[in-house]
Amino acid sequence: MAFGKKRLQRNMEQNSDPGIDPSIRNQGSISIRLTENTKHLQSIYNDCSDIIFRHFLMGNKTHAVLIYLDGMSNIEEIDHYVLPALMREEANSDVESILKQKLTISSVKEIKTFYDVVKEVSSGNPVVLIDGQIIGFSTGLPKWENRSIQEPTAESVVRGPRDGFIEAISTNVVQIRRKIKSPNLKTKTIQVGRYSQTEVVIMYIEGLADQTLIEEVQKRLNRIDIDGVLESGYIEEFIKDHPYSPFPQILNTERPDVTAANLLEGNVVILTDGTPFVLIAPTTFYSLLQSPEDYYEGFMSGTLIRWLRYFFLLIALLLPSVYVAILTYHQEMIPTSLLISVAKSREQIPFPALVEALLMEMTFEALREAGIRLPKNIGSAISIVGALVIGQAAVSAGLVSAPMVIVVAITGIASFLIPRYSASIALRMLRFPIMFLAGTLGLVGIMLGLLTIIIHMCTIRSFGVPYLQPMAPMKKSEMKDVLIRAPWWSLKKRPHWTGESNQIRQSSNQKPSPNKENE
């Protein structure tokens, strides 16, 4: 028992300062002696062959060292602007003159601790330490390869911007600022992960985003204590309200236009270095069913497509379950001619409808996952050909009936109409327990499953916002962008989230008319 208490206390002491690499947490400040600083840093970077210590003389008299990470720092800029300028000058007590007058680079920052040295070097910024100085300075000269900006494959549109986020967080911030040029677009940067020290940027528009929402996002991010963050999905799991819910409570996107649109509605955006996926909070269930193209085409076509999307959402969730329930318990609901056809096709099938549906659904999901994991050139072909061949072979072998293959195929097509992959996964997961309820209780089981899902969704909140808003609780003023896509000139108010400030997003009386006088 005593050993357990000591171990718990030791772990609490190690975790007292989350977000910092424990190996360099208490390394102290830079010494006035360069030899001590160099020896200490070499011990920190022991067995790191890509860390370069470049010793040189300032003014042929004062010793100095340049520390950088090979492959992450701009060697050409170092050779051209940093080393020649420093070698020509004599170091003195006026370090400010060295920083501001001698180096012809835009980004120079003072550093005072070894932790700052490690953080700057690991970020690709070369660090200069001078003998006799208790401070050093980092030069903002990082350089690494970036992927070019391309259209996101998972969120493609017929009409709309073709640019997408990449893995470089600075490029992603620039893409958002290109669309929102107001100085009220604010950014706050933090580091998450003890060892990865991943850069995370919080973006919001001051005056639109509620202050309590901003503070809540910061609080949830600051309490994350993990070894490393390699993708925004790590952060999403730590900050969501209901971790055991299958429904996504934070919107993720690769599109700058979607991000900018949510910022203009008062949402908060979380960008993570190393991933093109941006997190948007809060979100609602209806936001997951909206495509950016809904707002680029006419409002009538957008409304029609939105209704079609809602209809096929129900099909993707319930069609196999309804088929199993009717075929097992409610045959009287099927027309006689159709019932005879279905019974004839199932005459040689050895399995009940529930087992048949589960077999086909699991096969379809396996083929879909295989198509995603295979190389892109053959993935789609393998999944389509595999579904056709396996389905026909299963029918010919008498394992499944032809109507079941049609039902599963329509269900799979319907799931592709959902714009957000995370929402599609949630429906795919819920489809199986509803099928079990349909196979045991019939249509009553389906209704119990639907009621359970609706009750659960009514209890979910995303950063304090009800998940089914504006349907539950009902807000008539915001219904214009849920069941229909109202024209832009009628969307006078932005959605209500956590505050009441600045809800008017455009002037009134903007409905176009050929007889309208110019004011």
Side-chain angles (χ1 to χ4, degrees):
M1 182 67 70
F3 174 74
K5 290 182 178 180
K6 290 181 179 179
R7 183 171 61 183
L8 179 61
Q9 184 178 1
R10 184 168 63 252
N11 291 338
M12 291 178 64
E13 291 174 356
Q14 290 177 353
N15 297 336
S16 61
D17 196 0
I20 297 179
D21 186 345
S23 63
I24 59 172
R25 181 185 295 117
N26 299 315
Q27 295 295 334
S29 302
I30 297 174
S31 171
I32 198 171
R33 295 182 180 181
L34 181 63
T35 55
E36 294 181 3
N37 296 332
T38 304
K39 185 180 297 184
H40 190 70
L41 289 170
Q42 286 175 341
S43 66
I44 293 176
Y45 286 113
N46 186 31
D47 293 333
C48 296
S49 59
D50 54 347
I51 297 294
I52 309 300
F53 289 82
R54 171 64 165 88
H55 295 269
F56 62 95
L57 290 176
M58 297 183 64
N60 296 322
K61 183 177 179 181
T62 305
H63 289 272
V65 63
L66 176 70
I67 310 166
Y68 63 92
L69 186 59
D70 188 22
M72 287 188 64
S73 299
N74 195 325
I75 305 299
E76 294 79 8
E77 299 288 338
I78 293 173
D79 294 339
H80 192 75
Y81 295 108
V82 178
L83 288 177
L86 293 177
M87 288 180 177
R88 288 194 299 264
E89 299 295 335
E90 175 66 36
N92 50 42
S93 58
D94 189 9
V95 181
E96 186 176 358
S97 64
I98 300 176
L99 298 176
K100 295 183 178 180
Q101 301 176 13
K102 310 303 180 184
L103 296 181
T104 57
I105 57 177
S106 58
S107 178
V108 180
K109 184 171 65 174
E110 292 185 9
I111 51 178
K112 299 181 180 180
T113 65
F114 287 107
Y115 172 69
D116 292 333
V117 173
V118 173
K119 184 171 68 173
E120 293 297 325
V121 171
S122 300
S123 299
N125 299 319
V127 172
V128 178
L129 301 179
I130 305 170
D131 192 23
Q133 301 289 342
I134 60 173
I135 64 171
F137 55 93
S138 71
T139 57
L141 297 174
K143 182 182 179 182
W144 51 81
E145 297 298 326
N146 290 327
R147 179 170 60 92
S148 60
I149 297 176
Q150 299 173 345
E151 181 182 6
T153 56
E155 299 179 69
S156 58
V157 295
V158 177
R159 179 178 180 178
R162 304 295 182 183
D163 54 341
F165 290 126
I166 62 173
E167 287 73 16
I169 192 170
S170 57
T171 304
N172 296 340
V173 171
V174 169
Q175 290 192 72
I176 297 175
R177 286 204 175 272
R178 283 184 58 192
K179 299 185 179 298
I180 302 178
K181 300 179 176 62
S182 170
N184 289 330
L185 179 60
K186 307 299 181 181
T187 59
K188 295 183 179 181
T189 304
I190 62 174
Q191 273 74 36
V192 181
R194 294 182 182 180
Y195 296 96
S196 67
Q197 287 292 289
T198 305
E199 186 177 356
V200 177
V201 174
I202 305 170
M203 297 189 74
Y204 60 93
I205 298 180
E206 189 176 42
L208 298 187
D210 189 81
Q211 188 61 35
T212 58
L213 172 62
I214 301 169
E215 294 173 356
E216 181 65 22
V217 171
Q218 288 182 285
K219 184 178 72 173
R220 296 190 188 187
L221 289 175
N222 288 330
R223 73 187 182 197
I224 298 176
D225 183 12
I226 189 175
D227 285 345
V229 173
L230 306 180
E231 213 277 333
S232 58
Y234 288 45
I235 295 176
E236 183 177 356
E237 287 198 36
F238 276 102
I239 65 175
K240 62 170 58 175
D241 291 63
H242 303 271
Y244 295 107
S245 174
F247 293 99
Q249 298 148 48
I250 299 175
L251 179 65
N252 64 81
T253 182
E254 293 183 79
R255 298 186 61 91
D257 57 331
V258 174
T259 305
N262 280 273
L263 284 169
L264 293 171
E265 290 185 348
N267 293 353
V268 174
V269 171
I270 303 172
L271 298 92
T272 308
D273 192 23
T275 175
F277 287 92
V278 167
L279 303 180
I280 300 172
T283 190
T284 63
F285 178 70
Y286 303 103
S287 299
L288 300 172
L289 302 179
Q290 296 173 355
S291 171
E293 201 169 9
D294 293 351
Y295 302 94
Y296 301 149
E297 296 289 350
F299 65 92
M300 288 187 287
S301 61
T303 300
L304 177 62
I305 294 174
R306 189 167 292 182
W307 288 349
L308 193 67
R309 200 175 292 139
Y310 290 154
F311 175 70
F312 276 93
L313 180 145
L314 295 175
I315 289 179
L317 180 63
L318 301 177
L319 183 59
S321 303
V322 171
Y323 179 81
V324 170
I326 292 178
L327 206 61
T328 306
Y329 295 101
H330 312 283
Q331 296 91 346
E332 68 278 2
M333 297 180 64
I334 307 176
T336 304
S337 57
L338 180 59
L339 181 60
I340 294 173
S341 176
V342 172
K344 184 178 180 180
S345 66
R346 287 187 47 81
E347 188 176 2
Q348 303 296 327
I349 305 302
F351 305 113
L354 176 60
V355 176
E356 185 184 4
L358 291 174
L359 180 65
M360 285 302 300
E361 281 292 338
M362 288 188 291
T363 303
F364 187 87
E365 294 297 333
L367 288 171
R368 175 151 53 180
E369 284 297 312
I372 295 174
R373 308 306 164 198
L374 286 171
K376 293 182 178 179
N377 295 333
I378 62 174
S380 58
I382 292 295
S383 60
I384 294 173
V385 173
L388 293 174
V389 171
I390 292 176
Q392 183 61 39
V395 172
S396 301
L399 296 177
V400 295
S401 61
M404 179 60 73
V405 175
I406 297 174
V407 167
V408 172
I410 294 175
T411 304
I413 294 173
S415 65
F416 289 124
L417 268 72
I418 301 173
R420 303 296 171 187
Y421 183 70
S422 55
S424 175
I425 292 177
L427 294 179
R428 287 159 58 185
M429 288 191 297
L430 293 172
R431 189 186 304 153
F432 289 94
I434 294 180
M435 277 195 292
F436 277 108
L437 290 172
T440 55
L441 300 175
L443 293 178
V444 176
I446 295 178
M447 293 305 299
L448 288 175
L450 279 177
L451 287 175
T452 303
I453 293 173
I454 293 173
I455 292 172
H456 171 70
M457 295 175 71
C458 289
T459 62
I460 297 177
R461 288 180 176 267
S462 175
F463 286 84
V465 176
Y467 198 55
L468 292 181
Q469 183 174 315
M471 294 287 287
M474 177 69 72
K475 292 184 178 293
K476 294 182 180 180
S477 60
E478 298 178 18
M479 294 296 293
K480 295 180 179 179
D481 198 25
V482 176
L483 297 179
I484 64 172
R485 204 285 271 176
W488 270 114
W489 38 264
S490 68
L491 298 174
K492 182 179 178 181
K493 294 183 179 181
R494 61 177 52 88
H496 167 83
W497 293 127
T498 56
E500 298 287 347
S501 61
N502 199 355
Q503 288 192 339
I504 306 301
R505 61 174 160 190
Q506 64 185 16
S507 302
S508 57
N509 193 26
Q510 294 199 87
K511 180 179 179 180
S513 173
N515 300 323
K516 188 175 182 179
E517 297 180 358
N518 294 326
E519 297 180 359

